Amino acid sequence: MDQPESAPELSALIPLKDEAANIAPLLATLKPVLAACCSSFEIIFVDDGSRDGTLEALRDAHAEDVRVKVMALSRNLGKEIAIAAGLDAARGKAVIILDADLQHPPSAIPAMVTLWRQGYENVFATRASRAEETRLKQFLTRRFYRMFEVLGETPLPAGAGDFRLLDRKAVMALRAMGERARFNKGLYSWIGFRSIGVPVTFGLRHSGRSKFSYRQLTRFAFDGLMSFSTLPLKVWTYVGTLISTGSVATALYFLARTMIFGADVPGFATLIVSVLFLAGVQLMSLGIMGEYVGRIFAEVKGRPLYLVSERLGLELDALRGPLPPLPTPMN
Ligand code: UDP
Ligand code: MG
């Protein structure tokens, strides 16, 4: 293994932004749970550019207990990247990812650890209900998953999210994914490994409010679809073929009509409707291509995934820089 001797058995990984009020209650529930179900643990907080007192609270928590480690990113880069950064830093034989707002109940961890000890490498909590979210959000979420099912080339297990336990092998596999537009839900499923879901009742957010706006969620949905599907690109071939076939048929129809009945004044309405329709279809397909080209541009620039502004308790050798090395051959 690539693990130093002192590596803890479990790493808890918590990405957070503006969660100062949740840190103490989270640690109070998480620490006893971890202490009871493993021989040693570390808790890694990845501060994703918080603007409230989160970083100060984390510094205090680290001063109190060195098993609490902190990596502060240079600015807000989003939860997906914060998780990637945390995976680079975590040294545990298994890593448990959870939210800071106590929606992911630490009480579910022992069951996940038991399954890991039985040999499962990708143990995810499945969320039974989203009843605590607004109707609109539930509706849009359902639509997104339905669309992903149709378009995506990777199946997503129902109700599975970021709350999960990953074996070292799965962590190394995720670290080997260099992509910048990260859609972790898809990546967790793409990597495979022995996977199993555990039904978990999610709690209510302890303090503060959700950090995601509808705008961010839309962006995220696009990232998800486009990094796991090329169908939106390819579909235009079919749309184009269909429209061309239709226009040839129409041309033949008008030709026959003119030859039989002679020329009449062609309808202006038909003309304008078809021009507008075609212009719309073309712009839409160009737009979709633009989305992909934009993503290709972001990838080829090859900027680091994240920059670290502060780290507490994380040794330098644990941080192999933003671009993770390929995993060592695994048995
Ligand atoms: N989060 C983050 N960066 C962001 C937004 C959110 O690290 O840009 C963290 C947040 O602090 C929390 C977790 O991601 O620990 C889940 O966020 P939230 O509870 O706001 O999402 P929701 O539960 O509404 O999906
Ligand atoms: Mg939440």
Side-chain angles (χ1 to χ4, degrees):
M1 287 302 261
D2 61 321
Q3 292 298 290
E5 266 325 296
S6 59
E9 189 179 14
L10 289 183
S11 300
L13 161 54
I14 301 152
L16 78 175
K17 173 175 185 275
D18 299 340
E19 306 276 12
N22 289 326
I23 295 169
L26 175 66
L27 284 174
T29 25
L30 185 59
K31 277 189 197 171
V33 170
L34 290 176
C37 69
C38 67
S39 55
S40 55
F41 66 87
E42 62 179 3
I43 300 176
I44 299 179
F45 285 96
V46 181
D47 178 24
D48 186 16
S50 297
R51 285 157 185 258
D52 65 350
T54 297
L55 190 53
E56 289 71 29
L58 291 175
R59 285 193 195 116
D60 291 346
H62 171 71
E64 213 171 89
D65 182 348
V66 289
R67 292 173 302 181
V68 174
K69 302 172 183 184
V70 181
M71 180 186 210
L73 303 183
S74 61
R75 66 175 177 90
N76 178 241
L77 291 163
K79 184 184 179 189
E80 307 299 297
I81 290 181
I83 289 177
L87 289 176
D88 284 346
R91 292 178 310 141
K93 297 185 175 68
V95 179
I96 298 164
I97 306 171
L98 69 164
D99 283 0
D101 58 4
L102 286 146
Q103 282 198 285
H104 297 164
S107 56
I109 291 176
M112 293 163 106
V113 172
T114 307
L115 285 165
W116 171 57
R117 296 221 167 95
Q118 287 169 11
Y120 288 98
E121 290 143 341
N122 194 345
V123 185
F124 50 89
T126 54
R127 182 176 190 165
S129 124
R130 291 181 171 265
E132 72 284 359
E133 292 188 340
T134 62
R135 287 270 182 81
L136 178 65
K137 198 164 169 187
Q138 288 185 45
F139 172 77
L140 292 174
T141 308
R142 272 201 306 275
R143 296 266 50 86
F144 169 74
Y145 284 110
R146 184 80 198 97
M147 228 160 112
F148 199 95
E149 223 172 84
V150 175
L151 297 179
E153 283 139 21
T154 305
L156 295 184
D162 287 313
F163 186 24
R164 63 179 62 225
L165 179 151
L166 297 166
D167 180 76
R168 194 78 216 149
K169 287 183 201 168
V171 171
M172 293 312 275
L174 286 171
R175 291 183 56 191
M177 315 253 165
E179 59 215 84
R180 261 134 277 268
R182 292 188 88 89
F183 179 64
N184 285 331
K185 274 185 192 140
L187 296 178
Y188 298 137
S189 163
W190 188 92
I191 57 169
F193 294 103
R194 286 192 68 196
S195 311
I196 192 166
V198 189
V200 172
T201 312
F202 280 38
L204 288 176
R205 174 170 256 284
H206 179 76
S207 166
R209 33 192 229 108
S210 175
K211 302 295 175 295
F212 292 99
S213 62
Y214 281 104
R215 204 169 134 240
Q216 279 169 310
L217 288 173
T218 312
R219 206 66 240 143
F220 184 51
F222 263 104
D223 272 346
L225 286 172
M226 305 216 163
S227 35
F228 281 88
S229 172
T230 47
L231 199 68
L233 269 182
K234 295 182 199 149
V235 76
W236 300 105
T237 320
Y238 303 104
V239 175
T241 313
L242 209 76
I243 293 178
S244 312
T245 318
S247 64
V248 170
T250 321
L252 288 176
Y253 165 74
F254 278 117
L255 184 70
R257 223 176 70 157
T258 314
M259 279 166 64
I260 299 165
F261 302 109
D264 55 0
V265 181
F268 177 71
T270 330
L271 205 68
I272 200 78
V273 165
S274 54
V275 166
L276 286 181
F277 174 71
L278 281 178
V281 167
Q282 281 172 1
L283 283 180
M284 219 158 90
S285 70
L286 266 181
I288 299 270
M289 272 177 217
E291 288 284 341
Y292 281 93
V293 173
R295 282 172 173 74
I296 296 170
F297 184 50
E299 299 292 338
V300 296
K301 274 189 286 191
R303 289 193 184 151
L305 199 55
Y306 59 88
L307 298 170
V308 179
S309 68
E310 185 173 336
R311 47 172 89 86
L312 299 170
L314 296 167
E315 292 130 51
L316 270 174
D317 75 358
L319 299 165
R320 286 165 230 204
L323 285 178
L326 287 170
T328 43
M330 294 167 285
N331 42 25

